[in-house]
Amino acid sequence: MKQQNDLGKDPIPTLVIKLAIPTMIAQFVNVLYAIVDRMYIGNIPKIGDTALAGVGVCSPIITLLTSFGTLIGIGGSVLVSMRLGEKRIKQAQQILSNCFFMLIILSISLTVLFLLSKEKLLYWFGASSITFPYANTFLTIYTFGTFFALMALGMNYFIICQGYSTIGMCSVLIGAILNILLDSIFIFIFHMEVAGAALATVISQFVSCVFVLSFLFSKKSQIQISFSGYSLSIMKQVLSIGFSPFMILATDNVLIIALNTILQKYGNTEGDMLIASATIVQSYMTLITAPMLGITSGTQPLLSYNYGAKNEYRVQKGIQTILIVCLLFTSIMFLASRFLPSYFVRLFTNDPNYIQLSIWGIKVFTLSIIPLSLQYTFVDSLTALSATKVSLFLSLTRKSLFLLLTILLPLYFTARSAFYAEPLSDFIASILSTTIFLLVFKKHMKKRMST
């Protein structure tokens, strides 16, 4: 298998597999950062379940931090792919350099901001007086590694968009394997507990960051990072395209905040148990949504490149193939969610009450994951084709539905009914996304072909 893929000439099905599989694996492994931390934390003697609830409260804040890497990474890589399709190499390199500069500024600013506001954020996101110490310890250490997290995630998109999907996967694998090893050492040998889990993650992200930047500064990369050619116009374009996927991830935090707050408010004495179980359920969901995001975002360079080259057939064929891959993946995961969730849950806790609640939660959350394939494929395809206003609308609609249902369901039923907000919003949003995509795609491509 050749290291770099030809996005303009290689067969579409082959390209989709070559691009999707490495990025799918990379996203899956990237999830291990959080899952391995939670798995080890949940098994810490005496404090495991409480510490797990504390780390669960940190999840939306960490997602918010890393979503800024997606903002720049996807926004810039889509533009780079288009310029490469147009054979404008110098412009592609200028975009890369601007994105590198933006990530530096963002990472420094976010580190300072989150360190100053973390106490208020943690209580706002659902921490209790019992779980706060664990949440505070984890978040403080993690925030100091913001630069490495954003660089490793954001700049890796620029490796993948050149067709180096395998190298992009390796950058994530290196960090994930190291994280697993360091977790066991810091938590169970050095007895650093939650602090050890956070430190292991930061060190792992540092190594991934070094790997990614080393490649993009070297001649192995088709385009290299430089320290010139900064342009406000390019930065605005990057932010415009990246805003839709950024909002998809950033608003996840609002949803997690809402869910944790509702569970704490209406859960009464079992509030902390509901949040801990929701943390396990959300960890399981990321095993589905992250690889699926890997499929749709990893194949965006194929669509963007051929959109830039004005090859409508390859764009259309690419979207069809991506959808088939997503449907196959979610169908397999749907079956796994019906029969295998107990094995996953027991990685986090041995408490029978937590196990029973978490298994039920997984089965509820995954009811609509097959139609969710339509949402992911069509929204990310529109982003790749620079139809950002439509993709943003579709993404925010799904999030808004989830938020509304999370608030309303417990008002009429029990706190546990909030878990049904996920499948209901996924199903409705998938129907809406499919309808709108079929209405706008042809018109959008026609406009591109006429320019």
Side-chain angles (χ1 to χ4, degrees):
M1 183 186 295
K2 58 184 178 181
Q3 196 174 52
Q4 185 179 17
N5 302 300
D6 191 329
L7 302 179
K9 296 180 180 179
D10 287 353
I12 294 293
T14 303
L15 266 178
V16 168
I17 295 301
K18 286 184 177 181
L19 291 171
I21 296 301
T23 49
M24 180 182 174
I25 293 173
Q27 285 288 345
F28 173 80
V29 173
N30 197 36
V31 171
L32 291 179
Y33 278 130
I35 289 182
V36 169
D37 284 340
R38 294 172 183 178
M39 182 180 72
Y40 282 130
I41 290 168
N43 285 282
I44 296 174
K46 297 182 180 180
I47 67 166
D49 292 329
T50 304
L52 180 61
V55 174
V57 172
C58 296
S59 295
I61 302 175
I62 292 172
T63 302
L64 179 59
L65 279 170
T66 55
S67 64
F68 283 94
T70 303
L71 169 66
I72 307 302
I74 291 185
S77 64
V78 165
L79 281 176
V80 166
S81 295
M82 290 182 183
R83 298 299 173 267
L84 293 176
E86 297 165 351
K87 308 302 180 184
R88 296 162 64 185
I89 306 300
K90 289 185 179 179
Q91 288 87 341
Q93 184 159 312
Q94 184 183 12
I95 294 167
L96 172 63
S97 299
N98 275 266
C99 291
F100 178 66
F101 176 75
M102 293 169 74
L103 281 173
I104 292 175
I105 300 301
L106 272 175
S107 60
I108 295 172
S109 302
L110 290 170
T111 299
V112 174
L113 177 63
F114 276 71
L115 285 174
L116 292 176
S117 60
K118 60 185 174 67
E119 183 173 347
K120 291 182 179 179
L121 285 172
L122 287 172
Y123 279 116
W124 183 36
F125 282 35
S128 66
S129 58
I130 298 174
T131 60
F132 175 81
Y134 303 105
N136 185 54
T137 298
F138 189 90
L139 184 62
T140 300
I141 296 172
Y142 186 93
T143 304
F144 276 110
T146 299
F147 176 85
F148 309 128
L150 262 62
M151 282 293 172
L153 173 64
M155 298 309 290
N156 198 39
Y157 283 104
F158 296 95
I159 296 177
I160 296 171
C161 78
Q162 298 178 61
Y164 296 109
S165 54
T166 303
I167 295 175
M169 177 185 68
C170 289
S171 72
V172 179
L173 285 175
I174 291 170
I177 293 171
L178 181 60
N179 187 49
I180 293 171
L181 294 174
L182 292 179
D183 261 333
S184 58
I185 293 171
F186 290 162
I187 294 176
F188 296 112
I189 296 179
F190 294 159
H191 304 290
M192 295 175 67
E193 298 180 342
V194 171
L199 183 60
T201 300
V202 171
I203 293 173
S204 302
Q205 289 171 338
F206 167 76
V207 174
S208 292
C209 173
V210 171
F211 181 92
V212 169
L213 294 183
S214 296
F215 181 85
L216 290 173
F217 273 109
S218 74
K219 293 182 179 179
K220 296 178 182 178
S221 176
Q222 186 179 356
I223 53 174
Q224 294 87 37
I225 297 172
S226 65
F227 296 94
S228 60
Y230 299 128
S231 165
L232 285 176
S233 176
I234 290 176
M235 293 181 188
K236 289 178 181 178
Q237 284 182 285
V238 170
L239 293 175
S240 175
I241 294 175
F243 189 67
S244 176
F246 166 75
M247 286 300 295
I248 294 172
L249 292 174
T251 51
D252 278 343
N253 301 286
V254 178
L255 307 183
I256 295 173
I257 294 169
L259 182 59
N260 287 346
T261 302
I262 291 295
L263 294 176
Q264 193 68 261
K265 180 178 180 179
Y266 293 99
N268 299 318
T269 56
E270 65 172 7
D272 284 342
M273 183 179 77
L274 285 169
I275 291 177
S277 295
T279 300
I280 295 173
V281 173
Q282 288 158 356
S283 297
Y284 183 87
M285 278 296 291
T286 59
L287 290 178
I288 299 170
T289 57
M292 188 156 57
L293 180 63
I295 296 170
T296 56
S297 65
T299 50
Q300 279 181 327
L302 166 64
L303 304 180
S304 298
Y305 184 98
N306 287 286
Y307 180 74
K310 298 185 179 181
N311 193 327
E312 182 177 0
Y313 170 77
R314 287 180 67 82
V315 171
Q316 190 168 353
K317 182 69 173 177
I319 294 172
Q320 292 171 352
T321 308
I322 293 165
L323 178 58
I324 291 171
V325 174
C326 284
L327 287 170
L328 288 172
F329 171 71
T330 52
S331 296
I332 293 170
M333 293 306 296
F334 178 81
L335 293 174
S337 303
R338 306 275 74 76
F339 301 107
L340 303 175
S342 60
Y343 298 102
F344 179 83
V345 172
R346 285 187 172 87
L347 294 174
F348 294 84
T349 180
N350 293 317
D351 188 302
N353 293 323
Y354 281 78
I355 290 173
Q356 183 180 11
L357 179 58
S358 299
I359 291 173
W360 171 83
I362 287 173
K363 290 182 177 180
V364 170
F365 257 59
T366 56
L367 285 172
S368 295
I369 59 171
I370 295 176
L372 189 60
S373 300
L374 300 167
Q375 167 85 8
Y376 270 67
T377 299
F378 294 144
V379 169
D380 283 356
S381 294
L382 289 169
T383 301
L385 304 180
S386 196
T388 52
K389 291 182 180 179
V390 181
S391 62
L392 178 61
F393 167 76
L394 294 174
S395 298
L396 292 182
T397 299
R398 174 174 168 245
K399 304 297 184 180
S400 299
L401 284 169
F402 181 95
L403 180 60
L404 182 64
L405 291 168
T406 298
I407 296 171
L408 291 179
L409 289 174
L411 288 176
Y412 298 98
F413 304 101
T414 64
R416 298 189 182 197
S417 66
F419 282 68
Y420 284 97
E422 177 75 26
L424 288 171
S425 59
D426 288 349
F427 183 75
I428 296 170
S430 297
I431 294 174
L432 180 64
S433 297
T434 302
T435 303
I436 292 180
F437 178 83
L438 294 175
L439 290 173
V440 304
F441 174 72
K442 284 292 184 181
K443 294 180 180 178
H444 187 74
M445 287 304 303
K446 185 178 180 180
K447 183 179 179 181
R448 172 58 185 165
M449 300 301 289
S450 64
T451 57

